[in-house]
Amino acid sequence: MAVAAGAGGAVRDRLVALPGVYRPQADSRLLEAAVAREDLGPGRSVLDIGTGTGVVALRAAETGAAVTAVDASWAAVLAAWLNARRRRLPVKVRHGDFAVHAGRGPRYDFVLANPPYVPSPDPELPARGERRAWDAGGDGRAVIDPICAAAPSLLRPGGVLLMVHSAMCDSERTLAMLARGGISARVEVRRRIGWGPVLRGRRAWLTEKGFAAPGEDREELVVIRGRYA
């Protein structure tokens, strides 16, 4: 069992992060900050998609909101459950594809998502291992697009979607897809960060495919905020 310690914020302090579970990084912090600006609290319901360690779900639960966290990885489910238990926060942690919630279960006031979004030379999504936390098909949208499609059936009228991903994955396409589903969306936050080891290891391929300019070593992260009419 590995332990991830993050700077700033009690939620990220000494989170349990099992092997293969995505540890909170810059994108997690951006989504946390976006959540902190929203009107969460008792009486609000939240679905956290791809919860990982549960860091964003825990942040939402601290407000008193009713939070359900879902992840396709059993290791992530266990990590999020442990982290919620350690903080005595009543987060419901579920295993499986978020799509099973679409149109079949309750609707939510807030849907939060930090999906895998790194373009990969392998068009198939990994079934296991640490790559599952970031690899997202040839265009990086293998999970983003299903979230956009499912969001209208996950949100209550007036509900809010907050999703973080790389601008490398075409944020304008995200906005257009959400608009077609009746969700008025915009880019709420933009933040440029240095490339990590995954992107650096794919530099030649990313440049060849037009995801990055020659010599580029920084990516732009965006937080998309959408409101369902």
Side-chain angles (χ1 to χ4, degrees):
M1 181 183 298
V3 175
V11 165
R12 288 195 305 275
D13 182 44
R14 297 186 61 79
L15 284 174
V16 173
L18 300 175
V21 178
Y22 186 74
R23 298 170 183 243
Q25 297 185 36
D27 48 5
S28 311
R29 292 190 288 273
L30 283 180
L31 189 56
E32 274 188 272
V35 169
R37 291 191 291 271
E38 298 292 338
D39 182 23
L40 273 74
R44 299 290 193 174
S45 59
V46 178
L47 176 66
D48 182 33
I49 295 173
T51 195
T53 61
V55 60
V56 177
L58 298 176
R59 178 68 70 193
E62 285 180 336
T63 70
V67 180
T68 299
V70 62
D71 204 292
S73 162
W74 275 111
V77 168
L78 177 56
W81 182 82
L82 287 170
N83 286 320
R85 288 277 299 211
R86 293 174 73 208
R87 286 159 180 76
R88 299 182 181 179
L89 292 171
V91 176
K92 295 179 181 177
V93 186
R94 301 287 184 260
H95 174 260
D97 190 330
F98 69 89
V100 302
H101 293 264
R104 302 182 189 178
R107 295 189 175 220
Y108 299 87
D109 296 303
F110 292 90
V111 172
L112 316 175
N114 182 2
Y117 54 74
V118 177
S120 170
D122 185 353
E124 299 296 325
L125 292 177
R128 60 182 59 84
E130 61 181 2
R131 289 176 48 240
R132 195 176 192 179
W134 55 75
D135 275 6
D139 60 0
R141 298 191 60 91
V143 183
I144 294 171
D145 285 351
I147 290 174
C148 290
S153 62
L154 293 170
L155 289 167
R156 292 175 176 168
V160 170
L161 168 71
L162 292 170
M163 177 164 56
V164 61
H165 66 70
S166 174
M168 193 179 288
C169 305
D170 191 353
S171 50
E172 292 302 318
R173 177 171 163 181
T174 300
L175 299 179
M177 285 193 68
L178 293 172
R180 289 197 293 272
I183 296 176
S184 176
R186 66 178 185 271
V187 175
E188 183 87 344
V189 178
R190 298 181 186 271
R191 181 73 49 81
R192 292 189 65 81
I193 65 169
W195 279 11
V198 174
L199 291 184
R200 290 198 300 270
R202 297 178 185 176
R203 181 183 303 278
W205 182 83
L206 291 168
T207 302
E208 176 190 349
K209 294 299 182 180
F211 291 108
E216 188 171 356
D217 62 359
R218 296 179 69 80
E219 70 170 325
E220 182 178 64
L221 298 178
V222 298
V223 176
I224 305 290
R225 185 184 192 276
R227 186 176 180 86
Y228 185 46

